[in-house]
Amino acid sequence: MSCSALSSVSAAGLSPDDASVAHIHFIGLDVDESGVPYMASIPVHKVTVVALDPRGDVLLAYEMNGAPIPRDHGGPLRAVVPGVVGARNVKWLGRVVASNEESQGFWQQNDYKAFSPGTDWDNLDWKSAPAIQGLNVVSAICLPAKGEEVSLEEGEITVKGYAWSGGGSDIVRVDVSLDGGKTWAPAELTKPPTNSSGRAWAKTLYSLTQRLPEGVEAGGKLEVVVKATDENYNTQPESAGPVWNARGVVNNSWHRVQVNVV
Ligand SMILES: Nc1nc2c(c(=O)[nH]1)N[C@H]1C(S)=C(S)[C@@H](COP(=O)(O)O)O[C@H]1N2
Ligand SMILES: [Mo]
């Protein structure tokens, strides 16, 4: 249960058509050593027209799963900005401010930004990159667990996990490989319920049961790999190298899990 950010913004006398409003700021009640609160902002026009849109999904949430939000997760009140990086989902919310400028919060200006693999701590200029808002497509293997035993006698393996993409992009396919990424098969998808906005905020679950590849022997290993594709046909890179960045963010390279054949 929660109220939409829109209703609070309009209760404050702000019109969604107000052209001077470009950013919605969320300001937390927690402060750093110098007394400055945690704060972040989201652009109203891009990642989330939703902040001021009647069909919007940005929430000021006070409950999670029917119970008050636990303090660790931002209770009594938290901004929930679906499809957007955790850093903008401000916990212990104290104030919402409409502004024509981006938040000057430390974590908005000097962290949660990605740079070229050729940029390191000595030559990076925080001002040269935009704050991360929406995110890239990711997927993970939840089952099997690393080092789990797969029986040759049973002859098959079930791979399960989740996929998700930023900005409300839906997941259209999840591919699973049992041989380290040489061959692939599409998994079955379980979609989260969609709402009236048509955006896919929640994780898509996937599952695939497959015969073990030919030539696999007891005592050997299988490398299970997964990659997802979103509705913009964006997919994940094979390795972290080409997306490496000094801060180590937005690494969405293939998730790999090795299992033992017995
Ligand atoms: N007020 C406040 N909100 C905050 C933060 C914070 O330090 N203070 N950290 C942010 C970051 S970087 C993340 S990843 C998420 C973590 O949310 P969680 O603890 O519910 O997983 O909270 C975000 N909201
Ligand atoms: Mo974070």
Side-chain angles (χ1 to χ4, degrees):
M1 189 72 89
S2 42
C3 77
S4 84
L6 171 72
S7 42
S8 48
V9 165
S10 33
L14 194 78
S15 151
D17 309 322
D18 189 336
S20 68
V21 177
H23 303 269
I24 299 294
H25 294 225
F26 299 111
I27 301 163
L29 294 171
D30 51 327
V31 294
D32 64 18
E33 316 86 87
S34 55
V36 177
Y38 186 93
M39 50 189 170
S41 66
I42 55 169
V44 290
H45 60 286
K46 223 161 128 192
V47 184
T48 47
V49 278
V50 289
L52 291 176
D53 189 307
R55 284 159 299 176
D57 287 325
V58 176
L59 302 176
L60 305 184
Y62 49 84
E63 284 185 348
M64 181 169 82
N65 301 330
I69 299 183
R71 193 169 66 172
D72 281 358
H73 291 302
L77 191 68
R78 178 180 195 158
V80 174
V81 189
V84 164
V85 69
R88 318 298 166 223
N89 287 250
V90 175
K91 306 194 269 192
W92 316 298
L93 192 63
R95 229 153 38 106
V96 178
V97 173
S99 170
N100 58 355
E101 278 171 11
E102 189 183 29
S103 170
Q104 289 304 305
F106 179 88
W107 306 97
Q108 183 105 11
Q109 298 297 333
N110 301 308
D111 199 7
Y112 295 103
K113 295 185 176 188
F115 299 88
S116 161
T119 302
D120 59 28
W121 286 109
D122 298 328
N123 63 4
L124 76 73
D125 169 16
W126 287 107
K127 296 225 170 321
S128 69
I132 299 169
Q133 294 283 355
L135 287 163
N136 46 9
V137 57
V138 292
S139 59
I141 299 163
C142 299
L143 283 175
K146 184 180 168 194
E148 202 168 292
E149 295 187 342
V150 180
S151 146
L152 204 54
E153 204 177 283
E154 273 172 39
E156 57 179 37
I157 183 174
T158 296
V159 182
K160 286 180 188 234
Y162 64 85
W164 183 88
S165 188
S169 284
D170 205 1
I171 296 297
V172 295
R173 209 181 68 239
V174 175
D175 297 314
V176 173
S177 172
L178 299 181
D179 55 11
K182 291 192 201 73
T183 62
W184 301 87
E188 226 170 87
L189 306 184
T190 306
K191 302 306 257 173
T194 49
N195 64 7
S196 59
S197 75
R199 297 180 181 94
W201 300 132
K203 292 180 175 105
T204 290
L205 304 182
Y206 71 85
S207 175
L208 183 67
T209 300
Q210 271 205 298
R211 305 284 314 156
L212 298 182
E214 291 295 318
V216 168
E217 286 172 9
K221 286 188 190 303
L222 279 185
E223 191 177 55
V224 182
V225 190
V226 68
K227 67 180 171 74
T229 300
D230 74 12
E231 66 180 315
N232 300 310
Y233 278 92
N234 286 314
T235 189
Q236 306 177 237
E238 179 168 352
S239 68
V243 292
W244 186 91
N245 58 90
R247 180 54 177 78
V249 289
V250 293
N251 170 12
N252 64 339
S253 56
W254 300 352
H255 188 201
R256 303 163 186 267
V257 167
Q258 283 211 342
V259 295
N260 300 319
V261 182
V262 294

